[in-house]
Amino acid sequence: MAVMQDEIYRVGKLSLDVGRHVLAGPRGEVLLAPVPFRIMEKLMRREGVIQSQDAITQAIWSDPDDEPDDPGRVIREKISKLRGLICLIGTEGPSGVEIRNEREVGYYIQSRKSR
């Protein structure tokens, strides 16, 4: 019987276990709710590549009828909370990981070492 290993994305010291929806760093791990998980998965799949708000919206709500009235506000709020989680689990600092925003373009994640 073959054992299937879950997909894990890594950016610096941050990892996202896709099968378990767990974001982990040097100081611990956090189980992510569906919307923050989909945002992190979208960003971590392509480190350093800007993801437009529309692309993130589609990753979260595949059916436009399920979208909230202001998906941009929801995304901003969730990204703010994800930034806090990144600090909490210990991936901040000069060798840490950050979610960046390019105004009017979108979001991306990167290791500060790679800048």
Side-chain angles (χ1 to χ4, degrees):
M1 178 180 201
V3 177
M4 186 172 185
Q5 190 175 19
D6 284 330
E7 198 167 3
I8 296 177
Y9 296 111
R10 296 187 197 297
V11 175
K13 295 180 181 179
L14 188 69
S15 66
L16 179 68
D17 184 322
V18 175
R20 294 176 43 224
H21 289 212
V22 170
L23 185 66
R27 282 193 248 147
E29 57 183 43
V30 178
L31 179 64
L32 295 177
V35 171
F37 169 76
R38 288 188 198 112
I39 292 170
M40 284 304 291
E41 182 182 27
K42 182 77 174 163
L43 296 175
M44 289 183 75
R45 276 182 186 260
R46 302 188 65 205
E47 176 184 0
V49 176
I50 297 173
Q51 302 294 320
S52 71
Q53 183 171 302
D54 287 343
I56 294 171
T57 298
Q58 289 172 359
I60 299 170
W61 302 283
S62 56
D63 182 352
D65 292 336
D66 293 337
E67 282 182 30
D69 291 336
D70 188 354
R73 181 187 53 77
V74 173
I75 291 169
R76 285 189 303 277
E77 288 173 358
K78 299 302 181 187
I79 285 180
S80 177
K81 289 180 181 180
L82 285 166
R83 287 174 171 146
L85 287 175
I86 288 171
C87 289
L88 180 70
I89 61 177
T91 57
E92 80 285 359
S95 63
V97 173
E98 61 187 344
I99 298 174
R100 309 264 324 206
N101 173 261
E102 289 294 324
R103 189 174 292 256
E104 305 296 323
V105 181
Y107 296 91
Y108 63 100
I109 192 167
Q110 71 177 18
S111 172
R112 288 190 182 116
K113 277 193 211 177
S114 65
R115 284 202 277 173

Tab-separated table of all heavy atoms in Angstrom, residues 9 15 26 56 85 107:
chain	number	residue	atom	x	y	z
A	9	TYR	N	4.390	23.494	1.282
A	9	TYR	CA	5.068	24.631	0.668
A	9	TYR	C	5.965	25.263	1.718
A	9	TYR	O	5.601	25.353	2.884
A	9	TYR	CB	4.065	25.671	0.164
A	9	TYR	CG	3.181	25.147	-0.936
A	9	TYR	CD1	1.833	24.941	-0.721
A	9	TYR	CD2	3.703	24.857	-2.188
A	9	TYR	CE1	1.014	24.458	-1.718
A	9	TYR	CE2	2.897	24.366	-3.195
A	9	TYR	CZ	1.557	24.175	-2.960
A	9	TYR	OH	0.761	23.675	-3.950
A	15	SER	N	6.329	27.125	6.792
A	15	SER	CA	5.836	26.019	5.961
A	15	SER	C	4.317	25.937	6.069
A	15	SER	O	3.727	26.287	7.094
A	15	SER	CB	6.472	24.693	6.366
A	15	SER	OG	6.080	24.322	7.664
A	26	PRO	N	9.327	28.326	13.419
A	26	PRO	CA	10.208	27.883	14.489
A	26	PRO	C	9.566	27.825	15.881
A	26	PRO	O	9.960	27.017	16.707
A	26	PRO	CB	11.339	28.902	14.474
A	26	PRO	CG	11.305	29.507	13.125
A	26	PRO	CD	9.883	29.452	12.679
A	56	ILE	N	-6.657	36.142	-6.116
A	56	ILE	CA	-6.872	35.676	-4.744
A	56	ILE	C	-8.360	35.488	-4.486
A	56	ILE	O	-8.780	34.481	-3.903
A	56	ILE	CB	-6.237	36.645	-3.729
A	56	ILE	CG1	-4.714	36.638	-3.883
A	56	ILE	CG2	-6.635	36.266	-2.306
A	56	ILE	CD1	-3.990	37.712	-3.086
A	85	LEU	N	0.098	36.182	12.563
A	85	LEU	CA	0.424	34.773	12.808
A	85	LEU	C	1.871	34.463	12.440
A	85	LEU	O	2.544	33.707	13.141
A	85	LEU	CB	-0.515	33.853	12.025
A	85	LEU	CG	-1.942	33.754	12.536
A	85	LEU	CD1	-2.788	32.912	11.588
A	85	LEU	CD2	-1.976	33.186	13.941
A	107	TYR	N	-0.630	41.072	-3.924
A	107	TYR	CA	0.153	40.629	-2.778
A	107	TYR	C	1.143	39.550	-3.190
A	107	TYR	O	0.905	38.814	-4.150
A	107	TYR	CB	-0.770	40.038	-1.706
A	107	TYR	CG	-1.729	41.033	-1.125
A	107	TYR	CD1	-2.986	41.221	-1.674
A	107	TYR	CD2	-1.387	41.785	-0.008
A	107	TYR	CE1	-3.885	42.131	-1.137
A	107	TYR	CE2	-2.278	42.698	0.535
A	107	TYR	CZ	-3.511	42.860	-0.025
A	107	TYR	OH	-4.381	43.779	0.503
